[in-house]
Amino acid sequence: MGPGRVHAAGTQLSESPASQKRRSNKKEEPGPSTLHSWTKRLLGFEWADLSSWHHFVCLLNRPTDPAALGIFRFLFGLLMALDIPQERGLSQLDHKYLDGLKVCRFPLFNFLEPLPLDWMYLVYTVMLLGALGIMLGCFYRLSCLLFMVPYWYVFLLDKTTWNNHSYLYGLLGFQLLFMNANRYWSIDGLWNPQKRNAHVPLWNYTLLRTQIFIVYFIAGIKKLDADWVEGYSMSSLAHHWLFSPFRLVLSEEMTSLLVVHGGGLMLDLTAGYLLFFDATRPLALVFVSYFHCMNSQLFSIGMFSYTMLATSPLFCYPDWPRRLIAKFPACFQRLLPLSEAPQPSQECVYGGAGQQRLGRGAQKLGLRQKLGAIFTVLYVLEQLFLPYSHFITQGYNNWTNGLYGYSWDMMVHARSHQHVKITYRDGLTGEVGYLNPGVFTQSRRWRDHADMVKQYATCLSQLLHSYNISEPEIYFDIWVSINDRFQQRLFDPHVDIVKAEWSPFQKTTWVKPLLVDLSPWRTKLQEIEDALDNQTEVVFIADFPGLHLENFVSEDLGNTSLHLLKGEVAVEIVSTQKNHTLQEGDRIQLPPGKYHKVFTVSQEPSCYMYMYVNTTEAALEQNFTRLQELREKVQNGTETEPLPPELQPILDSSMENVTQVDPVVEAFLRRQWRMEELQKRRNATLAERFHRFITKKYFVFRRSLLMTWISLRNLLLGRPPLEQLAQEVAYANMQHEEVRTLSSPDTVPKQPGRSEL
């Protein structure tokens, strides 16, 4: 990278090492260019390059080494080829788009619909071939189109899968379509000598670097939100084992505040700048690499961490692959990309020193160079504007602005849902009923977005006609907590969403406001939670004046009480028709197995909390403890009395050859099996963990390829008899015993959930 020089945007011409040495040994007389060369050393260009549009276009089209761009193209194509069977869902495509499946979908535009299943597999096949073509640099432009068009179709088809990194993949694919990323280490270069190892315009690098800078910097700007700065956005992340070294010197609370939130904020704000300059780039590469490696373990974000790692070398000198390859022995260099200097290209603008070195006249600006500059400027302006365009698309604004996925507000908002109720009413007969939350859907993402709730209600109203509901009215009562605040309503429960108005460009009137005035209560709520014992749980509720919450206390929950923290409420026990008015500081015991209603009668929002103990779970835990103690006594010989037949299975942790097992014993065996499996995984060697990882991925890709082959065969030759098709799908579903056991064990005891207890 050169000591004492700062490389910005790769504006220097590529030179051979010998010419660089001759130029460094040549003495130059001081002159205007030397006196003002600090701008070039600092920024990579002179101020004169910005003095006119002509000079600016020449700057963006300066010849630049294609090596770093070619390496990024290869890595991006490879990562996308790995991403398609996994996060894009090729391995589970038949579960999502099965023909005849009655399901509500959430496309960005309502006219978008999925194709029949076999054709969806063809779409994914085209996308996969495009990714492989990008990786190899084979039919490069066509490959970019084959990847980009299906990708954006699948992306726009389902808003519930949106996230920032999926959006970024689509942007990078779009950019590569217009770039000359096949000028280095590509099959196209082998076929076409003019494309092989040829200069690329500087704007190819400028666009990618600016995109990555925007991802980092605007993500940092979004993290200036008070919730992130105060440590509420990712408050539970400090529990992870990756932060164990920090917890040796800091408390868990300070680890969350300083390391998770403070460190994340500073890295996002500064990473783009630190990667820009030579002096700080080595340190930046270390920190961003550590950051993305941690994220790959903390979150299920597919190829995002590795894609960001692949973008980091773009900030280095563009010829870094050549200098690296030149250090390999000659016998290996034949198998690696080229290390010699690139050849001139008609798409670049040569002038000044480059004109003399290349021995050719200055090239005039053509339409291609001007369009490249215009595209770069417009694209960068659009990317700077779009994260703050929510004042236009107001219909997508809820408690947070816009649809999650294009604003780079990554991990800033954490939500938890306590209560979701969907009520339908037949407008013709007046019949009222309730729907299971999420019925006819494959995602829970709709709960947080008004536009998706509107789509869901419209879909439900159409499906309910099949159940003799003539004129369905759909009402949603969704309670959400964002960043450790009170649980509160997101939508007005009295509004029929089927008939409610919604527009992408107008504010949604039936979205209830976030009670930000109650945010300071979070400190008090945390203190209350910390003071509770392990068996007592608490839920904090805030409600609007004039509304009420109808709730049911399960018989499993003993000692359930309601404590009023603020405002005034009236509590009605439905079975007895008795009302109790509570003032601030009052509490009431709630009977189990009964419905009750909590009416907010004060002029301001009410705040209250439920405190309860799951007595069934507590009793079961006591039984587990006794069984564990009994098992240990028998094993160490201190228990002399023979065990009754129903307790014999606890000795060998096996349920085989047992005709009748006590439910408590069965639950105990299931938990023991799960604990042993988890302990086995924790104590596994690196080789065993790698084998488990490879085995799992193998069966993901195996199923993707087999199901794709079946669908393409169906399109070409027609579908076979159902028996044959069922056998083929069963073969595709085959998994290794270890994978099947860890994912969905059927032949071994399963860990019981609360519903089973």
Side-chain angles (χ1 to χ4, degrees):
M1 289 181 281
R5 291 193 57 194
V6 175
H7 168 65
T11 57
Q12 80 282 7
L13 297 174
S14 298
E15 303 176 68
S16 65
S19 62
Q20 290 179 356
K21 184 176 181 180
R22 289 194 300 269
R23 181 167 58 86
S24 64
N25 293 333
K26 182 179 179 181
K27 296 183 179 180
E28 298 182 1
E29 295 295 329
S33 60
T34 305
L35 293 176
H36 298 285
S37 61
W38 67 268
T39 57
K40 190 175 185 65
R41 292 198 303 269
L42 182 63
L43 302 176
F45 55 85
E46 301 284 2
W47 289 118
D49 293 327
L50 305 179
S51 60
S52 67
W53 173 250
H54 176 83
H55 290 159
F56 181 66
V57 175
C58 291
L59 170 65
L60 290 180
N61 286 277
R62 283 184 181 178
T64 312
D65 196 307
L69 183 61
I71 297 299
F72 172 73
R73 183 214 73 237
F74 178 87
L75 293 176
F76 177 76
L78 173 63
L79 292 170
M80 292 303 98
L82 296 175
D83 175 82
I84 290 170
Q86 299 181 83
E87 192 171 6
R88 293 318 111 203
L90 177 58
S91 63
Q92 301 295 324
L93 200 60
D94 54 322
H95 297 171
K96 187 172 184 178
Y97 297 113
L98 185 66
D99 294 339
L101 187 65
K102 289 185 178 181
V103 64
C104 296
R105 304 193 185 278
F106 305 91
L108 179 62
F109 306 107
N110 290 328
F111 63 82
L112 285 175
E113 293 183 357
L115 300 173
L117 178 60
D118 290 338
W119 288 97
M120 287 299 297
Y121 272 103
L122 178 61
V123 169
Y124 272 74
T125 300
V126 171
M127 180 165 51
L128 180 59
L129 291 176
L132 293 174
I134 292 174
M135 180 185 73
L136 299 174
C138 182
F139 299 109
Y140 173 70
R141 306 286 181 195
L142 177 61
S143 295
C144 288
L145 277 174
L146 293 179
F147 170 77
M148 187 189 68
V149 174
Y151 185 93
W152 280 102
Y153 166 69
V154 172
F155 182 78
L156 299 177
L157 197 59
D158 189 4
K159 291 181 291 188
T160 64
T161 62
W162 282 20
N163 49 46
N164 287 279
H165 60 268
S166 296
Y167 171 61
L168 177 63
Y169 299 160
L171 294 179
L172 294 176
F174 175 72
Q175 293 177 40
L176 288 174
L177 175 64
F178 299 96
M179 296 178 182
N180 299 328
N182 61 337
R183 298 303 193 258
Y184 185 77
W185 206 22
S186 68
I187 293 179
D188 288 346
L190 296 177
W191 294 341
N192 189 340
Q194 292 182 349
K195 294 181 179 179
R196 186 184 187 190
N197 197 25
H199 280 131
V200 297
L202 173 62
W203 66 264
N204 286 201
Y205 284 94
T206 302
L207 207 59
L208 287 171
R209 290 166 175 160
T210 305
Q211 180 69 77
I212 302 306
F213 175 87
I214 288 174
V215 172
Y216 281 120
F217 186 69
I218 293 188
I221 295 295
K222 298 288 185 176
K223 286 182 174 63
L224 291 174
D225 181 88
D227 283 1
W228 183 276
V229 174
E230 295 174 10
Y232 290 107
S233 296
M234 305 292 293
S235 57
S236 62
L237 200 60
H239 295 291
H240 199 278
W241 64 267
L242 283 172
F243 296 97
S244 299
F246 300 101
R247 294 199 300 268
L248 295 176
V249 293
L250 296 171
S251 65
E252 189 170 293
E253 180 181 356
M254 294 306 296
T255 300
S256 175
L257 181 62
L258 298 180
V259 179
V260 177
H261 292 88
L265 171 63
M266 293 306 299
L267 186 137
D268 280 338
L269 284 176
T270 60
Y273 294 103
L274 297 178
L275 287 169
F276 188 83
F277 299 108
D278 276 357
T280 56
R281 190 178 303 119
L283 182 65
L285 289 173
V286 171
F287 277 108
V288 298
S289 299
Y290 179 70
F291 174 74
H292 292 303
C293 289
M294 287 186 66
N295 284 344
S296 70
Q297 301 301 310
L298 289 170
F299 309 109
S300 299
I301 50 178
M303 297 293 109
F304 177 55
S305 299
Y306 310 107
T307 303
M308 292 302 292
L309 287 172
T311 63
S312 296
L314 288 171
F315 290 86
C316 301
Y317 279 105
D319 65 340
W320 69 264
R322 301 181 193 278
R323 291 185 280 117
L324 179 62
I325 293 170
K327 297 180 180 180
F328 280 81
C331 58
F332 291 104
Q333 292 187 19
R334 296 182 179 181
L335 305 176
L336 298 172
L338 298 174
S339 59
E340 59 262 22
Q343 64 172 326
S345 170
Q346 295 293 331
E347 299 182 3
C348 302
V349 176
Y350 296 86
Q355 173 186 349
Q356 299 174 6
R357 285 197 301 272
L358 295 169
R360 56 186 295 169
Q363 181 177 337
K364 295 182 180 180
L365 295 181
L367 180 61
R368 179 181 296 177
Q369 286 78 23
K370 294 178 182 178
L371 289 178
I374 292 173
F375 172 70
T376 301
V377 172
L378 292 180
Y379 181 87
V380 170
L381 291 176
E382 177 266 342
Q383 282 296 298
L384 291 173
F385 169 75
L386 196 59
Y388 299 97
S389 63
H390 307 306
F391 66 94
I392 297 176
T393 56
Q394 297 187 54
Y396 294 106
N397 298 343
N398 300 283
W399 290 349
T400 57
N401 289 330
L403 281 169
Y404 180 75
Y406 65 91
S407 299
W408 314 120
D409 51 347
M410 294 172 279
M411 306 296 179
V412 176
H413 305 107
R415 297 176 176 86
S416 63
H417 299 78
Q418 182 68 27
H419 180 75
V420 179
K421 183 172 73 172
I422 305 176
T423 307
Y424 70 84
R425 179 181 180 274
D426 192 328
L428 188 62
T429 65
E431 177 188 353
V432 176
Y434 302 94
L435 300 174
N436 289 330
V439 64
F440 298 118
T441 67
Q442 298 172 321
S443 172
R444 297 178 293 180
R445 193 81 169 270
W446 57 269
R447 299 178 298 181
D448 299 314
H449 301 278
D451 59 299
M452 297 190 203
V453 168
K454 176 64 176 178
Q455 289 176 306
Y456 188 30
T458 303
C459 176
L460 287 176
S461 67
Q462 297 170 354
L463 293 173
L464 287 178
H465 287 296
S466 303
Y467 298 86
N468 298 322
I469 309 297
S470 303
E471 298 179 7
E473 301 173 1
I474 309 293
Y475 302 89
F476 291 88
D477 194 14
I478 300 176
W479 293 74
V480 188
S481 169
I482 186 168
N483 292 344
D484 294 339
R485 290 181 173 85
F486 283 98
Q487 292 278 342
Q488 66 158 97
R489 283 186 168 94
L490 180 53
F491 307 113
D492 191 333
H494 297 154
V495 174
D496 174 17
I497 306 300
V498 177
K499 299 177 181 177
E501 294 184 358
W502 181 86
S503 169
F505 307 110
Q506 296 179 1
K507 183 179 179 180
T508 307
T509 57
W510 38 274
V511 173
K512 304 298 288 185
L514 178 63
L515 297 173
V516 293
D517 293 340
L518 300 178
S519 297
W521 273 85
R522 287 181 290 190
T523 303
K524 179 65 175 177
L525 303 185
Q526 187 61 50
E527 293 176 357
I528 294 175
E529 281 193 281
D530 293 341
L532 299 177
D533 57 48
N534 293 332
Q535 295 183 347
T536 304
E537 299 186 43
V538 62
V539 178
F540 301 101
I541 304 292
D543 203 3
F544 295 91
L547 299 180
H548 74 276
L549 169 64
E550 183 178 12
N551 212 343
F552 177 79
V553 178
S554 172
E555 294 181 353
D556 292 332
L557 305 182
N559 195 25
T560 301
S561 58
L562 186 149
H563 303 246
L564 186 62
L565 302 174
K566 182 181 179 182
E568 183 178 354
V569 300
V571 180
E572 176 189 347
I573 308 299
V574 177
S575 60
T576 61
Q577 298 294 312
K578 290 184 178 180
N579 292 329
H580 306 269
T581 301
L582 302 184
Q583 304 287 341
E584 184 174 332
D586 293 344
R587 56 168 291 183
I588 183 175
Q589 200 75 15
L590 299 173
K594 305 291 183 181
Y595 279 95
H596 67 274
K597 297 180 181 179
V598 183
F599 297 84
T600 299
V601 297
S602 56
Q603 297 299 315
E604 60 180 359
S606 64
C607 303
Y608 51 93
M609 64 180 179
Y610 287 97
M611 297 184 66
Y612 60 93
V613 176
N614 191 325
T615 52
T616 302
E617 185 175 5
L620 186 61
E621 192 64 35
Q622 292 178 357
N623 288 330
F624 284 170
T625 302
R626 286 197 291 267
L627 288 174
Q628 180 64 29
E629 292 174 351
L630 180 61
R631 180 185 182 185
E632 293 175 354
K633 288 181 180 179
V634 173
Q635 290 176 343
N636 59 29
T638 57
E639 177 64 39
T640 57
E641 296 292 332
L643 292 181
E646 63 270 16
L647 297 182
Q648 288 293 334
I650 69 173
L651 297 180
D652 55 3
S653 300
S654 175
M655 294 178 59
E656 298 179 359
N657 302 322
V658 177
T659 56
Q660 289 186 342
V661 178
D662 183 272
V664 175
V665 175
E666 181 181 354
F668 172 78
L669 293 175
R670 289 176 176 175
R671 190 179 74 161
Q672 289 299 114
W673 176 86
R674 177 60 65 180
M675 292 174 61
E676 291 173 1
E677 287 296 319
L678 292 177
Q679 190 65 28
K680 187 186 300 183
R681 295 187 66 177
R682 292 193 185 101
N683 297 335
T685 63
L686 185 61
E688 292 173 338
R689 295 186 181 189
F690 180 74
H691 176 264
R692 183 170 60 240
F693 172 81
I694 292 297
T695 301
K696 181 179 178 181
K697 297 302 179 183
Y698 165 75
F699 284 102
V700 168
F701 287 94
R702 175 184 181 274
R703 189 178 196 279
S704 300
L705 294 176
L706 289 176
M707 292 299 296
T708 300
W709 178 86
I710 293 171
S711 294
L712 296 181
R713 188 274 318 274
N714 293 344
L715 290 175
L716 291 174
L717 306 177
R719 291 194 175 185
L722 288 179
E723 292 184 1
Q724 178 183 341
L725 191 61
Q727 291 176 355
E728 292 174 346
V729 173
Y731 178 73
N733 290 334
M734 284 177 54
Q735 291 188 5
H736 190 271
E737 182 66 24
E738 180 182 8
V739 177
R740 183 167 59 251
T741 299
L742 292 174
S743 59
S744 56
D746 296 323
T747 60
V748 294
K750 295 185 292 185
Q751 171 68 10
R754 286 193 175 184
S755 60
E756 295 177 290
L757 301 180

